[in-house]
Amino acid sequence: MVQFRPHWRQLLGQEVITEPLPVINRLKNTPYRNPRRGGRADDDVRYALELVADIGAALLRAGSGTAEVNTSMLACCVAVGLDEDHLWTDLTFGTMMISYSRPGEWPLTMLRVARFPGRDYTRLTELHDLVAQMAAGRLDLSQARLRLEAIHMSPRPYKRGWVTVSWGVLSALVVIALGGNLVVAGIGFLVTCLVDRVGRWAGKRGWPPFFVTFIGAVIAAASAVLLAEASERWPIGINDPQNSSLVIAGGIIVLLAGAGLVAAGQDGINGYAVTAIARIF
């Protein structure tokens, strides 16, 4: 006889969290709330599981939140015909593991690592569209694999140089909004472009993000010191001491972790404590 818990216990969260949840509950309030279930993938479990793992890893590398990656993977599993009752997923910061085990068979486990997750909104949009197409039943396994490979090989919509210039323009506008003149805004533009290019150079050589951020902050602070010295030695029209702080404020725009902080908050609210702490750190 099934015993139902009172509503007040559900409200307080007094549920057995290790019990499997029906797919309709796990996908509630998500874009994939009603996925179309595909045919059973008993004869091609490995191929289907590899596709789901690759999609989850791509979402992690593009900067998707942990909860979104988890729901997207579950929707893909339903779409390719995997039985969610035999499915386990585990996601942490930069690491994703998915395991499929049916009674009487050896479990099949896939592990993917995204060592340097970033923010790629173009690929993130395309990946979410891929998952939506699979959940709607418009793509089979082979079509979804081809679509995923096309997303991996697609070029970025904007060249890196234009991204650097955009950061510089944003920095100049911030300096002007804080009360700086056009000369200080121009200096902030140049400092931000330099910080972005040096960070790009260090990132290509595998430097940890902490040291890349540290070097960028040093460049911004050193530029402010040089500006202060120049304003005392030469009459360049920027003698206000506030100009140095404005240059620093503009130069660190490219170093701010606003999107990462939002993702950390989302992971903490959704119950992914390890990933939230890792993002905040």
Short mmCIF file of all heavy atoms in Angstrom, two decimals, residues 167-223:
data_model
loop_
_atom_site.label_atom_id
_atom_site.label_comp_id
_atom_site.label_asym_id
_atom_site.label_seq_id
_atom_site.Cartn_x
_atom_site.Cartn_y
_atom_site.Cartn_z
N TRP A 167 34.92 45.52 -25.78
CA TRP A 167 35.26 45.70 -24.37
C TRP A 167 35.82 47.09 -24.13
O TRP A 167 35.51 47.73 -23.10
CB TRP A 167 36.27 44.65 -23.93
CG TRP A 167 35.71 43.32 -23.59
CD1 TRP A 167 35.94 42.13 -24.23
CD2 TRP A 167 34.82 43.01 -22.51
NE1 TRP A 167 35.25 41.11 -23.63
CE2 TRP A 167 34.55 41.62 -22.56
CE3 TRP A 167 34.22 43.77 -21.51
CZ2 TRP A 167 33.71 40.98 -21.65
CZ3 TRP A 167 33.39 43.13 -20.60
CH2 TRP A 167 33.15 41.76 -20.68
N GLY A 168 36.66 47.57 -25.04
CA GLY A 168 37.22 48.91 -24.89
C GLY A 168 36.16 49.99 -24.93
O GLY A 168 36.20 50.95 -24.15
N VAL A 169 35.21 49.85 -25.84
CA VAL A 169 34.12 50.83 -25.93
C VAL A 169 33.29 50.81 -24.65
O VAL A 169 32.90 51.86 -24.12
CB VAL A 169 33.24 50.54 -27.17
CG1 VAL A 169 32.00 51.41 -27.16
CG2 VAL A 169 34.04 50.78 -28.44
N LEU A 170 33.01 49.62 -24.13
CA LEU A 170 32.26 49.52 -22.88
C LEU A 170 33.01 50.21 -21.75
O LEU A 170 32.41 50.94 -20.93
CB LEU A 170 32.01 48.05 -22.54
CG LEU A 170 31.32 47.77 -21.20
CD1 LEU A 170 29.93 48.39 -21.17
CD2 LEU A 170 31.23 46.27 -20.95
N SER A 171 34.32 50.00 -21.68
CA SER A 171 35.12 50.64 -20.64
C SER A 171 35.07 52.17 -20.78
O SER A 171 34.92 52.88 -19.78
CB SER A 171 36.56 50.15 -20.73
OG SER A 171 37.40 50.89 -19.87
N ALA A 172 35.20 52.67 -22.00
CA ALA A 172 35.16 54.12 -22.21
C ALA A 172 33.81 54.71 -21.78
O ALA A 172 33.74 55.77 -21.16
CB ALA A 172 35.44 54.44 -23.68
N LEU A 173 32.74 54.01 -22.08
CA LEU A 173 31.41 54.49 -21.69
C LEU A 173 31.25 54.48 -20.17
O LEU A 173 30.60 55.37 -19.60
CB LEU A 173 30.34 53.63 -22.35
CG LEU A 173 30.25 53.73 -23.88
CD1 LEU A 173 29.21 52.76 -24.42
CD2 LEU A 173 29.93 55.15 -24.32
N VAL A 174 31.82 53.47 -19.51
CA VAL A 174 31.75 53.43 -18.05
C VAL A 174 32.51 54.62 -17.45
O VAL A 174 32.05 55.26 -16.49
CB VAL A 174 32.31 52.10 -17.52
CG1 VAL A 174 32.51 52.14 -16.01
CG2 VAL A 174 31.38 50.96 -17.89
N VAL A 175 33.69 54.92 -18.00
CA VAL A 175 34.47 56.06 -17.51
C VAL A 175 33.70 57.36 -17.68
O VAL A 175 33.65 58.21 -16.78
CB VAL A 175 35.83 56.12 -18.25
CG1 VAL A 175 36.56 57.42 -17.91
CG2 VAL A 175 36.68 54.92 -17.87
N ILE A 176 33.07 57.54 -18.82
CA ILE A 176 32.28 58.76 -19.06
C ILE A 176 31.09 58.82 -18.10
O ILE A 176 30.75 59.88 -17.55
CB ILE A 176 31.81 58.81 -20.53
CG1 ILE A 176 33.02 58.99 -21.45
CG2 ILE A 176 30.81 59.95 -20.74
CD1 ILE A 176 32.68 58.95 -22.92
N ALA A 177 30.43 57.67 -17.87
CA ALA A 177 29.29 57.64 -16.95
C ALA A 177 29.70 57.98 -15.53
O ALA A 177 28.89 58.53 -14.77
CB ALA A 177 28.63 56.27 -17.00
N LEU A 178 30.96 57.69 -15.16
CA LEU A 178 31.44 57.99 -13.81
C LEU A 178 32.00 59.40 -13.69
O LEU A 178 32.51 59.77 -12.63
CB LEU A 178 32.50 56.97 -13.40
CG LEU A 178 32.01 55.53 -13.24
CD1 LEU A 178 33.17 54.60 -12.91
CD2 LEU A 178 30.94 55.43 -12.16
N GLY A 179 31.95 60.17 -14.78
CA GLY A 179 32.38 61.57 -14.71
C GLY A 179 33.70 61.89 -15.38
O GLY A 179 34.19 63.01 -15.24
N GLY A 180 34.29 60.96 -16.09
CA GLY A 180 35.54 61.22 -16.77
C GLY A 180 35.36 61.96 -18.08
O GLY A 180 34.27 61.95 -18.68
N ASN A 181 36.42 62.60 -18.55
CA ASN A 181 36.37 63.29 -19.84
C ASN A 181 36.79 62.37 -20.96
O ASN A 181 37.08 61.19 -20.75
CB ASN A 181 37.24 64.56 -19.81
CG ASN A 181 38.68 64.25 -19.39
OD1 ASN A 181 39.20 63.17 -19.69
ND2 ASN A 181 39.32 65.17 -18.70
N LEU A 182 36.83 62.90 -22.17
CA LEU A 182 37.13 62.07 -23.34
C LEU A 182 38.56 61.54 -23.31
O LEU A 182 38.82 60.43 -23.78
CB LEU A 182 36.88 62.87 -24.61
CG LEU A 182 35.41 63.23 -24.89
CD1 LEU A 182 35.30 64.06 -26.16
CD2 LEU A 182 34.55 61.97 -25.00
N VAL A 183 39.48 62.32 -22.76
CA VAL A 183 40.88 61.86 -22.70
C VAL A 183 41.00 60.65 -21.78
O VAL A 183 41.62 59.64 -22.12
CB VAL A 183 41.79 63.01 -22.23
CG1 VAL A 183 43.23 62.51 -22.08
CG2 VAL A 183 41.74 64.18 -23.20
N VAL A 184 40.39 60.74 -20.61
CA VAL A 184 40.43 59.61 -19.68
C VAL A 184 39.69 58.41 -20.26
O VAL A 184 40.10 57.26 -20.09
CB VAL A 184 39.84 60.03 -18.32
CG1 VAL A 184 39.90 58.87 -17.34
CG2 VAL A 184 40.59 61.21 -17.76
N ALA A 185 38.57 58.66 -20.95
CA ALA A 185 37.84 57.57 -21.59
C ALA A 185 38.69 56.88 -22.64
O ALA A 185 38.67 55.65 -22.76
CB ALA A 185 36.55 58.10 -22.21
N GLY A 186 39.46 57.67 -23.41
CA GLY A 186 40.35 57.07 -24.40
C GLY A 186 41.43 56.23 -23.76
O GLY A 186 41.78 55.14 -24.26
N ILE A 187 41.97 56.71 -22.63
CA ILE A 187 42.98 55.92 -21.91
C ILE A 187 42.36 54.63 -21.37
O ILE A 187 42.96 53.55 -21.45
CB ILE A 187 43.59 56.76 -20.78
CG1 ILE A 187 44.35 57.96 -21.36
CG2 ILE A 187 44.53 55.91 -19.92
CD1 ILE A 187 44.89 58.91 -20.33
N GLY A 188 41.15 54.73 -20.83
CA GLY A 188 40.46 53.54 -20.36
C GLY A 188 40.22 52.55 -21.49
O GLY A 188 40.32 51.33 -21.29
N PHE A 189 39.89 53.06 -22.68
CA PHE A 189 39.71 52.19 -23.85
C PHE A 189 40.98 51.42 -24.15
O PHE A 189 40.96 50.19 -24.35
CB PHE A 189 39.29 53.05 -25.04
CG PHE A 189 39.24 52.31 -26.35
CD1 PHE A 189 38.10 51.62 -26.73
CD2 PHE A 189 40.34 52.31 -27.20
CE1 PHE A 189 38.07 50.94 -27.94
CE2 PHE A 189 40.31 51.63 -28.40
CZ PHE A 189 39.17 50.95 -28.77
N LEU A 190 42.12 52.13 -24.19
CA LEU A 190 43.39 51.48 -24.52
C LEU A 190 43.80 50.47 -23.45
O LEU A 190 44.28 49.37 -23.77
CB LEU A 190 44.48 52.54 -24.70
CG LEU A 190 44.28 53.51 -25.88
CD1 LEU A 190 45.37 54.56 -25.88
CD2 LEU A 190 44.25 52.75 -27.20
N VAL A 191 43.60 50.84 -22.17
CA VAL A 191 43.98 49.94 -21.09
C VAL A 191 43.15 48.66 -21.14
O VAL A 191 43.67 47.55 -20.99
CB VAL A 191 43.83 50.64 -19.73
CG1 VAL A 191 43.98 49.65 -18.58
CG2 VAL A 191 44.85 51.76 -19.59
N THR A 192 41.85 48.80 -21.38
CA THR A 192 40.99 47.62 -21.43
C THR A 192 41.36 46.72 -22.61
O THR A 192 41.37 45.49 -22.47
CB THR A 192 39.52 48.06 -21.55
OG1 THR A 192 39.19 48.88 -20.43
CG2 THR A 192 38.59 46.85 -21.58
N CYS A 193 41.63 47.31 -23.75
CA CYS A 193 42.07 46.50 -24.90
C CYS A 193 43.36 45.76 -24.60
O CYS A 193 43.51 44.58 -24.96
CB CYS A 193 42.24 47.40 -26.12
SG CYS A 193 40.70 48.07 -26.79
N LEU A 194 44.28 46.43 -23.90
CA LEU A 194 45.54 45.78 -23.53
C LEU A 194 45.29 44.63 -22.56
O LEU A 194 45.87 43.54 -22.70
CB LEU A 194 46.50 46.80 -22.92
CG LEU A 194 47.85 46.25 -22.45
CD1 LEU A 194 48.63 45.67 -23.62
CD2 LEU A 194 48.65 47.36 -21.76
N VAL A 195 44.43 44.86 -21.57
CA VAL A 195 44.12 43.80 -20.60
C VAL A 195 43.50 42.60 -21.30
O VAL A 195 43.85 41.44 -21.02
CB VAL A 195 43.17 44.35 -19.51
CG1 VAL A 195 42.64 43.20 -18.65
CG2 VAL A 195 43.89 45.37 -18.65
N ASP A 196 42.60 42.84 -22.23
CA ASP A 196 41.94 41.74 -22.93
C ASP A 196 42.92 40.96 -23.79
O ASP A 196 42.90 39.73 -23.81
CB ASP A 196 40.79 42.28 -23.78
CG ASP A 196 40.03 41.17 -24.49
OD1 ASP A 196 39.30 40.42 -23.80
OD2 ASP A 196 40.16 41.04 -25.73
N ARG A 197 43.79 41.65 -24.51
CA ARG A 197 44.74 40.96 -25.38
C ARG A 197 45.76 40.16 -24.57
O ARG A 197 46.11 39.03 -24.94
CB ARG A 197 45.46 41.97 -26.28
CG ARG A 197 44.56 42.72 -27.24
CD ARG A 197 43.62 41.82 -28.02
NE ARG A 197 44.31 40.85 -28.84
CZ ARG A 197 43.72 39.96 -29.61
NH1 ARG A 197 42.40 39.87 -29.62
NH2 ARG A 197 44.41 39.12 -30.35
N VAL A 198 46.25 40.75 -23.47
CA VAL A 198 47.20 40.01 -22.63
C VAL A 198 46.52 38.79 -22.01
O VAL A 198 47.11 37.70 -21.94
CB VAL A 198 47.77 40.93 -21.54
CG1 VAL A 198 48.60 40.13 -20.54
CG2 VAL A 198 48.64 42.02 -22.17
N GLY A 199 45.27 38.95 -21.56
CA GLY A 199 44.55 37.80 -21.02
C GLY A 199 44.32 36.73 -22.06
O GLY A 199 44.41 35.53 -21.77
N ARG A 200 44.04 37.15 -23.29
CA ARG A 200 43.86 36.18 -24.37
C ARG A 200 45.16 35.44 -24.64
O ARG A 200 45.16 34.21 -24.84
CB ARG A 200 43.42 36.93 -25.63
CG ARG A 200 43.19 36.07 -26.85
CD ARG A 200 41.96 35.23 -26.72
NE ARG A 200 41.66 34.52 -27.96
CZ ARG A 200 40.71 33.61 -28.07
NH1 ARG A 200 39.95 33.31 -27.04
NH2 ARG A 200 40.49 33.00 -29.22
N TRP A 201 46.27 36.16 -24.64
CA TRP A 201 47.59 35.56 -24.88
C TRP A 201 47.93 34.55 -23.78
O TRP A 201 48.40 33.44 -24.04
CB TRP A 201 48.65 36.65 -24.94
CG TRP A 201 50.05 36.15 -25.06
CD1 TRP A 201 50.71 35.79 -26.20
CD2 TRP A 201 50.97 35.94 -23.98
NE1 TRP A 201 51.98 35.36 -25.90
CE2 TRP A 201 52.17 35.44 -24.54
CE3 TRP A 201 50.90 36.11 -22.61
CZ2 TRP A 201 53.27 35.13 -23.77
CZ3 TRP A 201 52.01 35.80 -21.82
CH2 TRP A 201 53.18 35.31 -22.41
N ALA A 202 47.68 34.92 -22.52
CA ALA A 202 47.99 34.03 -21.41
C ALA A 202 47.06 32.82 -21.41
O ALA A 202 47.48 31.70 -21.09
CB ALA A 202 47.89 34.79 -20.09
N GLY A 203 45.78 33.03 -21.75
CA GLY A 203 44.84 31.91 -21.78
C GLY A 203 45.21 30.87 -22.82
O GLY A 203 45.03 29.67 -22.60
N LYS A 204 45.70 31.30 -23.98
CA LYS A 204 46.11 30.35 -25.02
C LYS A 204 47.28 29.49 -24.57
O LYS A 204 47.46 28.38 -25.09
CB LYS A 204 46.50 31.10 -26.29
CG LYS A 204 45.31 31.64 -27.08
CD LYS A 204 45.77 32.27 -28.37
CE LYS A 204 44.58 32.69 -29.23
NZ LYS A 204 45.02 33.31 -30.51
N ARG A 205 48.07 29.98 -23.64
CA ARG A 205 49.23 29.23 -23.15
C ARG A 205 48.92 28.41 -21.90
O ARG A 205 49.83 27.91 -21.25
CB ARG A 205 50.39 30.19 -22.91
CG ARG A 205 51.07 30.59 -24.20
CD ARG A 205 51.75 31.92 -24.14
NE ARG A 205 52.36 32.23 -25.43
CZ ARG A 205 51.68 32.67 -26.48
NH1 ARG A 205 50.37 32.85 -26.40
NH2 ARG A 205 52.30 32.92 -27.62
N GLY A 206 47.64 28.31 -21.58
CA GLY A 206 47.23 27.43 -20.50
C GLY A 206 47.41 27.98 -19.10
O GLY A 206 47.42 27.21 -18.13
N TRP A 207 47.55 29.30 -18.96
CA TRP A 207 47.68 29.87 -17.63
C TRP A 207 46.36 29.74 -16.88
O TRP A 207 45.29 29.93 -17.45
CB TRP A 207 48.07 31.34 -17.72
CG TRP A 207 49.46 31.58 -18.23
CD1 TRP A 207 50.19 30.74 -19.00
CD2 TRP A 207 50.27 32.74 -18.01
NE1 TRP A 207 51.41 31.30 -19.30
CE2 TRP A 207 51.48 32.53 -18.70
CE3 TRP A 207 50.08 33.91 -17.32
CZ2 TRP A 207 52.49 33.46 -18.71
CZ3 TRP A 207 51.10 34.85 -17.32
CH2 TRP A 207 52.29 34.63 -18.00
N PRO A 208 46.40 29.46 -15.58
CA PRO A 208 45.14 29.39 -14.80
C PRO A 208 44.43 30.74 -14.80
O PRO A 208 45.07 31.80 -14.82
CB PRO A 208 45.63 29.02 -13.39
CG PRO A 208 46.96 28.36 -13.60
CD PRO A 208 47.57 29.06 -14.78
N PRO A 209 43.11 30.72 -14.80
CA PRO A 209 42.34 31.98 -14.83
C PRO A 209 42.69 32.93 -13.69
O PRO A 209 42.62 34.15 -13.85
CB PRO A 209 40.89 31.52 -14.74
CG PRO A 209 40.91 30.12 -15.26
CD PRO A 209 42.22 29.55 -14.86
N PHE A 210 43.08 32.41 -12.52
CA PHE A 210 43.42 33.28 -11.40
C PHE A 210 44.58 34.20 -11.76
O PHE A 210 44.56 35.41 -11.50
CB PHE A 210 43.77 32.44 -10.18
CG PHE A 210 44.27 33.25 -9.01
CD1 PHE A 210 43.37 33.85 -8.14
CD2 PHE A 210 45.62 33.42 -8.80
CE1 PHE A 210 43.83 34.60 -7.08
CE2 PHE A 210 46.08 34.17 -7.72
CZ PHE A 210 45.19 34.76 -6.86
N PHE A 211 45.63 33.64 -12.37
CA PHE A 211 46.80 34.44 -12.70
C PHE A 211 46.51 35.37 -13.88
O PHE A 211 47.07 36.47 -13.95
CB PHE A 211 47.98 33.52 -13.02
CG PHE A 211 48.44 32.72 -11.83
CD1 PHE A 211 48.15 31.38 -11.74
CD2 PHE A 211 49.13 33.31 -10.79
CE1 PHE A 211 48.56 30.63 -10.64
CE2 PHE A 211 49.54 32.58 -9.68
CZ PHE A 211 49.25 31.24 -9.61
N VAL A 212 45.66 34.95 -14.79
CA VAL A 212 45.27 35.84 -15.89
C VAL A 212 44.55 37.07 -15.34
O VAL A 212 44.82 38.21 -15.75
CB VAL A 212 44.37 35.09 -16.89
CG1 VAL A 212 43.86 36.03 -17.96
CG2 VAL A 212 45.13 33.93 -17.53
N THR A 213 43.65 36.87 -14.38
CA THR A 213 42.95 37.98 -13.76
C THR A 213 43.92 38.86 -12.98
O THR A 213 43.83 40.10 -13.00
CB THR A 213 41.84 37.46 -12.83
OG1 THR A 213 40.96 36.63 -13.59
CG2 THR A 213 41.06 38.61 -12.23
N PHE A 214 44.87 38.24 -12.28
CA PHE A 214 45.85 38.99 -11.50
C PHE A 214 46.69 39.90 -12.41
O PHE A 214 46.91 41.08 -12.10
CB PHE A 214 46.75 38.02 -10.74
CG PHE A 214 47.86 38.68 -9.97
CD1 PHE A 214 47.61 39.29 -8.75
CD2 PHE A 214 49.15 38.71 -10.48
CE1 PHE A 214 48.63 39.91 -8.06
CE2 PHE A 214 50.17 39.32 -9.79
CZ PHE A 214 49.92 39.93 -8.56
N ILE A 215 47.14 39.36 -13.52
CA ILE A 215 47.96 40.16 -14.44
C ILE A 215 47.14 41.31 -15.01
O ILE A 215 47.63 42.44 -15.15
CB ILE A 215 48.52 39.26 -15.56
CG1 ILE A 215 49.54 38.29 -14.98
CG2 ILE A 215 49.17 40.11 -16.65
CD1 ILE A 215 50.04 37.27 -15.96
N GLY A 216 45.88 41.05 -15.36
CA GLY A 216 45.03 42.13 -15.87
C GLY A 216 44.84 43.23 -14.86
O GLY A 216 44.85 44.43 -15.20
N ALA A 217 44.66 42.86 -13.58
CA ALA A 217 44.51 43.88 -12.54
C ALA A 217 45.79 44.68 -12.36
O ALA A 217 45.75 45.90 -12.13
CB ALA A 217 44.11 43.21 -11.23
N VAL A 218 46.95 44.03 -12.47
CA VAL A 218 48.23 44.74 -12.37
C VAL A 218 48.37 45.75 -13.51
O VAL A 218 48.83 46.89 -13.31
CB VAL A 218 49.39 43.74 -12.36
CG1 VAL A 218 50.72 44.45 -12.54
CG2 VAL A 218 49.39 42.93 -11.07
N ILE A 219 47.98 45.35 -14.71
CA ILE A 219 48.07 46.27 -15.85
C ILE A 219 47.19 47.49 -15.63
O ILE A 219 47.60 48.63 -15.88
CB ILE A 219 47.68 45.54 -17.15
CG1 ILE A 219 48.71 44.46 -17.49
CG2 ILE A 219 47.54 46.52 -18.30
CD1 ILE A 219 48.33 43.60 -18.67
N ALA A 220 45.95 47.27 -15.15
CA ALA A 220 45.05 48.39 -14.91
C ALA A 220 45.59 49.32 -13.83
O ALA A 220 45.55 50.55 -13.98
CB ALA A 220 43.67 47.86 -14.52
N ALA A 221 46.11 48.75 -12.73
CA ALA A 221 46.64 49.58 -11.65
C ALA A 221 47.90 50.32 -12.09
O ALA A 221 48.08 51.51 -11.77
CB ALA A 221 46.92 48.72 -10.43
N ALA A 222 48.79 49.64 -12.81
CA ALA A 222 50.02 50.29 -13.28
C ALA A 222 49.70 51.42 -14.25
O ALA A 222 50.35 52.48 -14.23
CB ALA A 222 50.93 49.25 -13.94
N SER A 223 48.70 51.24 -15.09
CA SER A 223 48.30 52.31 -16.02
C SER A 223 47.79 53.53 -15.26
O SER A 223 48.06 54.68 -15.64
CB SER A 223 47.22 51.80 -16.97
OG SER A 223 47.68 50.68 -17.70
#
